Amino acid sequence: MSEIATQLAGAVGAGNLLTGDAISDDYAHDEALSTPVQKPAYVAKPATAEEVSALLKIAAAEGIPVTARGSGSGLSAAARPVEGGLVVSFERMNSVLEIDDGNHVAVVQPGVTLAELDAKTAEHGLTYPVYPGELSASVGGTVGTNAGGMRAIRYGITRGNVSGLQAVLATGEIVRTGGRMSKISSGYDLTQLIIGSEGTLALVTEVIVKLQPRLPHSATVLAPFDDFEQVMAAVPKIAASGLAPQILEYIDNMTMAAMVYNDKLELGVPAEIRDRTQAYLAVALENRVADRLGEDVEALGELLTELGAIDAYVLEGGAARKLIEAREKAFWNAKAAGADDVIDVVVPRTAMPQFLAKARELAMATGGGAIGCGHAGDGNVHLAIFCKDPDTRAQLLTDIFGYAYELGGAISGEHGLGRTKTKYYAKLEDPAKLDLLRRVKESFDPAGILNPGVLFAQTGK
Amino acid sequence: MSEIATQLAGAVGAGNLLTGDAISDDYAHDEALSTPVQKPAYVAKPATAEEVSALLKIAAAEGIPVTARGSGSGLSAAARPVEGGLVVSFERMNSVLEIDDGNHVAVVQPGVTLAELDAKTAEHGLTYPVYPGELSASVGGTVGTNAGGMRAIRYGITRGNVSGLQAVLATGEIVRTGGRMSKISSGYDLTQLIIGSEGTLALVTEVIVKLQPRLPHSATVLAPFDDFEQVMAAVPKIAASGLAPQILEYIDNMTMAAMVYNDKLELGVPAEIRDRTQAYLAVALENRVADRLGEDVEALGELLTELGAIDAYVLEGGAARKLIEAREKAFWNAKAAGADDVIDVVVPRTAMPQFLAKARELAMATGGGAIGCGHAGDGNVHLAIFCKDPDTRAQLLTDIFGYAYELGGAISGEHGLGRTKTKYYAKLEDPAKLDLLRRVKESFDPAGILNPGVLFAQTGK
């Protein structure tokens, strides 16, 4: 065992350190499509913040790059390690420490999955409403990427649903930020700064998440439209209606066809309507009172047809659940169909038609394609990119992201930049802002050990 | 005119620079009770971000401390200038630039007041839901302090309702953060870092605020309780009920007596009930549909009496509005009653009874007192502190804030630290965290010109 491995084993116990061939391929990647795998030199599985602190002190002293890992379900390779680096895997820090009914928060370790958290909160009639497709995602991972998901239109993203953290700095200090309250104005908000920092500022060892009442009644309405512009014009009207949709998704006709085929969906949409449909809106409502839900579903149906929907189909329990589950799996369908990358650009929602038209045009000009679905209420467009040649694809993505910038948007709405999108960010973002961000990074991580190559293009390191 | 004044006048035009006796007393303070007034050397009134940039370049070159000023309605003296310093007053940057119906945002200049913004958004059937008591507050000021207010229980605080900024760095660069979308995961969230930074990181020159549908029907229920513990035990139950209160305030009996007397409130609470009441809960509901509101008010009344309320009074339109307005003015009542300071400690809401009991005990032990009201759903306790001797008061506040820390709370929920609370923060906060925050500050403001003495205790300057 090398001298460094001995030190790391001392921090977490020999049984919780992997080196060499003992490191399985799982640790060499996440679910990003477009990045080569890379095994780390070490995988450590700490059980406490103190052990994480000990690991970071060794890494800082020895100059070892550190990559945090939750479930490995990320889509931008932020959890893909660096050659010779250390993966800190939070698989053993997987306890829901407390469901605090009085303050409506849960205190959880980063390795807890969203599915586990949902099961625990359900026992209290509460829910953590952040709902990215992948429920095997770890809470720590969703904090790292500032995950969003389908319910963001109603409940917001991770950023709005986390009130405090415990985190270990690159220098080994353990700090607590925020607390069991939603409201603090006492110094800079480190909670917010760490959320979405993709493991580049600190390693999160505990998360305080806000919980909401779990409403008992929900329904989903599916509305096919002839025309994508009409879909997009409908979105602000639905948002302004006061019906407060929990989910407001668009699904283009090709993506819906793939979902129907792969997931054997029975949506009750007749073939002649499917054939003329360019895109669908799926709108979920929820309510505390069953009667109100029924009334709202009716009002929504009327509103949708007024706004140009060909029809509005109320999906019964099973069909609605299957549709949402299929939507969650859209990434896997894209992967199975041979997509070369997935992107999740965000633009002001009124700019979605322009953005989509241009992205498709750019993709088709390369001989490839771009199909997808997205969080219509949030302007968050998920596209599967089909374009085999890496250089052509890099130029295509530069052009697509560049157009998103022109429209006032950003490269990623919820996946993060990771290793796959950082190079575009370095090219497209305002240099004055990048300089500032780099100074902020240095104020946290002077030795540059935390996830080098993520958010900031690597400079010779 | 001094050489520096000539430079500053060059940046904003001679008519928009005040020096010497031309500077009125207004610029020497905000509404904080416990801090001496201090006139600045210069007051500049820029009209554009470019002019702000020019001012900051001069200030950086000459080492002049800069204090941003909105309406001057702050309660912690973050807008009180430094001797020899420059006040950048945003009174001329007071336009609502756009109400964007499609994206449900407004783009506003920092000098716009909340009252003006409310009038403009009302024309579109929308509302900016952040509602601190003082509607003359400027949007820029609310960004600086991360203002909260009564509707935070339903809509969150400033932090959750701002999606983008334009800001001028201490080095003069103009940057844009965020955008007209609620969801971004592309690098550190500078919007969030600047919100609540009290003018110490950058000067905000444009704000993109999120708008919500303006619901047409609302009602307020007032519930007197014999016992403060019951009030506090009721709060999580109401929050969990799914009734989604827009406002959930407690008001102690002395504060209510002052409100009734000063504002001539007619609440319909009989004298024999008033006499036995220790505290009140005021709960406002709102709805899209009038009938639902009526049903919910009834359900709320039942829930309140189940939870121990002596009775529940539904306040009709005028009375409800007057109660909420009187609650907004609680600060002015405290000031008129001779309060020596006002504080707005935040603790986990379940810890409010302990905190209040201890704060009162500590205040009474000095021969003074602590009375108040607060945002019960958020754990945000507003207390008027009566304690004349400054040294005794400083020790009392140290003890009160120290106890808030013990309970997992923070010094301020929404007023900010400003010049009045920073010294306690310097004493009570984790030194490792303070060091980190100072490094973050330096990454933005290497020359230390932005609001020195706020958030960080001054070291020799």
Side-chain angles (χ1 to χ4, degrees):
Chain A
M1 205 181 241
S2 72
E3 194 249 328
I4 289 173
T6 306
Q7 286 186 57
L8 295 170
V12 292
N16 298 308
L17 184 77
L18 307 176
T19 59
D21 290 344
I23 298 174
S24 76
D25 289 341
D26 283 350
Y27 294 106
H29 64 89
D30 60 11
E31 296 298 341
L33 294 181
S34 56
T35 187
V37 299
Q38 171 66 57
K39 277 202 184 186
Y42 321 95
V43 174
K45 304 175 187 178
T48 64
E50 289 68 26
E51 291 184 4
V52 174
S53 168
L55 291 170
L56 289 187
K57 283 179 186 161
I58 298 164
E62 304 287 346
I64 303 168
V66 177
T67 298
R69 182 183 179 86
S71 300
S73 59
L75 294 172
S76 297
R80 201 217 71 188
V82 175
E83 192 178 355
L86 164 67
V87 163
V88 177
S89 170
F90 287 99
E91 60 204 88
R92 293 174 67 222
M93 293 179 71
N94 61 353
S95 295
V96 175
L97 300 173
E98 188 184 346
I99 305 283
D100 176 345
D101 282 294
N103 293 305
H104 281 179
V105 297
V107 184
V108 307
Q109 292 188 309
V112 170
T113 67
L114 292 175
E116 289 159 0
L117 180 58
D118 194 58
K120 292 276 190 187
T121 54
E123 294 167 13
H124 296 252
L126 297 168
T127 188
Y128 176 60
V130 178
Y131 192 73
E134 189 56 53
L135 296 182
S136 72
S138 71
V139 171
T142 62
V143 167
T145 58
N146 186 24
M150 283 188 266
R151 295 181 189 156
I153 177 80
R154 173 145 182 172
Y155 290 106
I157 52 180
T158 301
R159 187 173 293 299
N161 289 282
V162 167
S163 66
L165 299 172
Q166 183 193 59
V168 183
L169 304 181
T171 40
E173 289 119 328
I174 301 170
V175 297
R176 285 194 174 273
T177 72
R180 297 183 186 208
M181 319 77 89
S182 294
K183 186 194 247 180
I184 297 179
S185 180
S186 303
Y188 309 143
D189 194 324
L190 293 176
T191 310
Q192 291 296 332
L193 191 52
I194 293 171
I195 293 172
S197 66
E198 303 190 43
T200 66
L201 292 182
L203 296 199
V204 169
T205 48
E206 206 175 285
V207 185
I208 305 176
V209 297
K210 304 184 202 172
L211 303 178
Q212 301 292 332
R214 187 178 283 258
L215 302 184
H217 307 287
S218 66
T220 300
V221 177
L222 183 67
F225 285 77
D226 282 318
D227 180 68
F228 195 75
E229 295 267 356
Q230 281 181 320
V231 172
M232 290 296 116
V235 166
K237 301 285 200 300
I238 297 167
S241 68
L243 292 166
Q246 180 201 24
I247 290 177
L248 181 52
E249 296 285 303
Y250 83 87
I251 304 167
D252 73 16
N253 55 347
M254 286 190 62
T255 303
M256 183 63 97
M259 284 164 56
V260 166
Y261 179 79
N262 287 308
D263 299 285
K264 300 179 184 53
L265 298 183
E266 298 283 356
L267 299 170
V269 183
E272 69 274 18
I273 290 184
R274 284 208 308 268
D275 289 347
R276 58 183 272 209
T277 296
Q278 202 177 86
Y280 297 80
L281 269 184
V283 189
L285 300 179
E286 58 175 2
N287 212 297
R288 188 174 62 82
V289 183
D291 288 353
R292 293 186 184 182
L293 179 67
E295 289 163 20
D296 285 0
V297 165
E298 201 162 317
L300 174 63
E302 282 167 26
L303 180 59
L304 283 163
T305 44
E306 269 170 41
L307 294 170
I310 305 170
D311 205 340
Y313 302 89
V314 182
L315 303 185
E316 299 307 323
R321 207 189 55 245
K322 282 190 78 172
L323 173 68
I324 299 303
E325 283 171 6
R327 165 63 191 85
E328 285 167 16
K329 287 194 286 183
F331 164 71
W332 300 104
N333 289 341
K335 188 174 174 181
D340 301 294
D341 206 344
V342 290
I343 63 174
D344 79 310
V345 163
V346 63
V347 293
R349 66 185 176 208
T350 51
M352 288 174 80
Q354 284 161 271
F355 172 74
L356 272 161
K358 182 81 168 188
R360 285 189 185 128
E361 180 196 314
L362 289 166
M364 288 199 292
T366 70
I371 66 164
C373 50
H375 310 306
D378 305 316
N380 192 192
V381 179
H382 290 248
L383 285 176
I385 300 292
F386 296 84
C387 177
K388 290 290 161 231
D389 178 64
D391 293 336
T392 309
R393 191 165 70 239
Q395 187 56 51
L396 170 63
L397 291 182
T398 304
D399 295 342
I400 289 177
F401 295 144
Y403 190 62
Y405 264 83
E406 273 180 48
L407 295 170
I411 292 173
S412 170
E414 54 189 23
H415 294 171
L417 300 175
R419 296 187 186 284
T420 62
K421 308 297 185 298
T422 289
K423 58 179 176 286
Y424 305 103
Y425 186 63
K427 199 180 292 184
L428 295 166
E429 189 54 69
D430 171 9
K433 218 163 118 183
L434 280 176
D435 280 351
L436 175 62
L437 295 173
R438 198 181 284 277
R439 293 196 300 272
V440 171
K441 158 78 172 171
E442 286 166 2
S443 72
F444 274 75
D445 178 20
I449 59 169
L450 293 182
N451 231 6
V454 170
L455 300 191
F456 303 97
Q458 264 181 298
T459 47
K461 201 172 258 172
Chain B
M1 207 181 240
S2 74
E3 194 249 329
I4 289 173
T6 307
Q7 286 186 57
L8 294 170
V12 292
N16 298 307
L17 184 77
L18 307 176
T19 60
D21 289 345
I23 298 175
S24 77
D25 289 341
D26 283 348
Y27 294 106
H29 64 89
D30 60 11
E31 296 298 342
L33 294 180
S34 56
T35 188
V37 299
Q38 172 65 57
K39 277 203 185 186
Y42 320 94
V43 174
K45 304 175 187 177
T48 64
E50 288 69 25
E51 290 185 5
V52 174
S53 168
L55 291 170
L56 290 187
K57 282 179 187 163
I58 298 164
E62 304 287 346
I64 304 167
V66 176
T67 298
R69 182 181 179 88
S71 300
S73 60
L75 295 171
S76 297
R80 202 217 72 188
V82 174
E83 192 179 353
L86 164 67
V87 164
V88 176
S89 171
F90 287 98
E91 60 203 88
R92 293 175 66 223
M93 293 178 72
N94 62 352
S95 296
V96 175
L97 300 173
E98 187 184 347
I99 306 284
D100 175 347
D101 283 293
N103 293 305
H104 282 180
V105 297
V107 183
V108 306
Q109 290 189 310
V112 169
T113 68
L114 292 176
E116 290 159 358
L117 180 58
D118 194 57
K120 292 276 190 187
T121 54
E123 295 167 12
H124 296 251
L126 297 169
T127 187
Y128 176 61
V130 177
Y131 192 74
E134 190 56 53
L135 295 184
S136 72
S138 70
V139 171
T142 61
V143 168
T145 59
N146 187 22
M150 281 189 266
R151 294 181 190 157
I153 177 80
R154 174 147 182 170
Y155 290 106
I157 54 181
T158 301
R159 188 173 290 300
N161 289 283
V162 168
S163 65
L165 299 171
Q166 183 194 58
V168 183
L169 304 181
T171 39
E173 288 120 329
I174 302 170
V175 297
R176 286 195 176 271
T177 72
R180 298 183 185 207
M181 322 75 91
S182 294
K183 186 196 247 182
I184 298 181
S185 180
S186 302
Y188 308 145
D189 194 326
L190 293 176
T191 310
Q192 292 296 330
L193 191 53
I194 293 170
I195 292 172
S197 67
E198 303 190 42
T200 66
L201 293 182
L203 296 199
V204 170
T205 47
E206 205 175 287
V207 185
I208 304 176
V209 297
K210 303 184 205 174
L211 303 178
Q212 300 293 332
R214 185 178 284 259
L215 301 184
H217 307 287
S218 66
T220 299
V221 177
L222 183 68
F225 284 78
D226 282 319
D227 180 68
F228 194 77
E229 296 267 356
Q230 281 180 320
V231 172
M232 291 295 117
V235 167
K237 301 284 200 299
I238 297 166
S241 68
L243 291 166
Q246 180 201 25
I247 290 177
L248 182 51
E249 296 286 302
Y250 83 87
I251 303 166
D252 73 17
N253 56 347
M254 287 189 63
T255 303
M256 183 63 97
M259 282 165 55
V260 167
Y261 179 79
N262 286 309
D263 299 284
K264 300 180 183 52
L265 297 184
E266 298 283 356
L267 299 171
V269 184
E272 68 273 19
I273 290 184
R274 283 208 307 268
D275 290 347
R276 59 183 271 210
T277 295
Q278 203 178 83
Y280 297 80
L281 269 186
V283 189
L285 300 180
E286 58 174 1
N287 212 297
R288 187 174 62 83
V289 183
D291 287 354
R292 292 185 186 182
L293 179 68
E295 291 163 21
D296 285 0
V297 165
E298 201 163 314
L300 174 64
E302 282 167 26
L303 179 60
L304 283 163
T305 44
E306 266 170 44
L307 295 170
I310 305 169
D311 206 340
Y313 302 89
V314 182
L315 303 184
E316 298 309 323
R321 205 189 55 243
K322 282 189 78 172
L323 173 68
I324 299 302
E325 283 172 6
R327 165 62 190 86
E328 285 168 15
K329 287 194 287 184
F331 164 73
W332 300 103
N333 289 340
K335 186 174 176 180
D340 302 294
D341 206 344
V342 289
I343 62 175
D344 79 311
V345 163
V346 63
V347 294
R349 66 186 177 208
T350 52
M352 287 175 79
Q354 284 161 270
F355 173 74
L356 271 161
K358 182 80 168 189
R360 286 189 183 126
E361 181 196 313
L362 289 165
M364 289 199 293
T366 69
I371 66 164
C373 50
H375 310 306
D378 305 316
N380 191 194
V381 180
H382 290 248
L383 285 175
I385 300 292
F386 296 85
C387 177
K388 290 288 161 234
D389 178 65
D391 293 338
T392 309
R393 192 166 70 242
Q395 186 57 51
L396 171 62
L397 291 183
T398 304
D399 295 342
I400 289 176
F401 296 144
Y403 189 62
Y405 265 82
E406 274 181 48
L407 296 170
I411 292 172
S412 170
E414 54 190 21
H415 294 172
L417 300 173
R419 296 188 185 284
T420 62
K421 308 297 184 300
T422 290
K423 58 178 176 286
Y424 305 104
Y425 186 64
K427 199 179 292 184
L428 295 166
E429 189 55 71
D430 171 11
K433 217 162 116 183
L434 280 176
D435 281 350
L436 175 62
L437 294 174
R438 198 180 285 276
R439 294 196 301 272
V440 172
K441 158 79 170 170
E442 286 165 2
S443 72
F444 273 76
D445 178 20
I449 59 168
L450 294 182
N451 232 5
V454 171
L455 300 192
F456 304 97
Q458 264 181 297
T459 48
K461 196 171 264 175

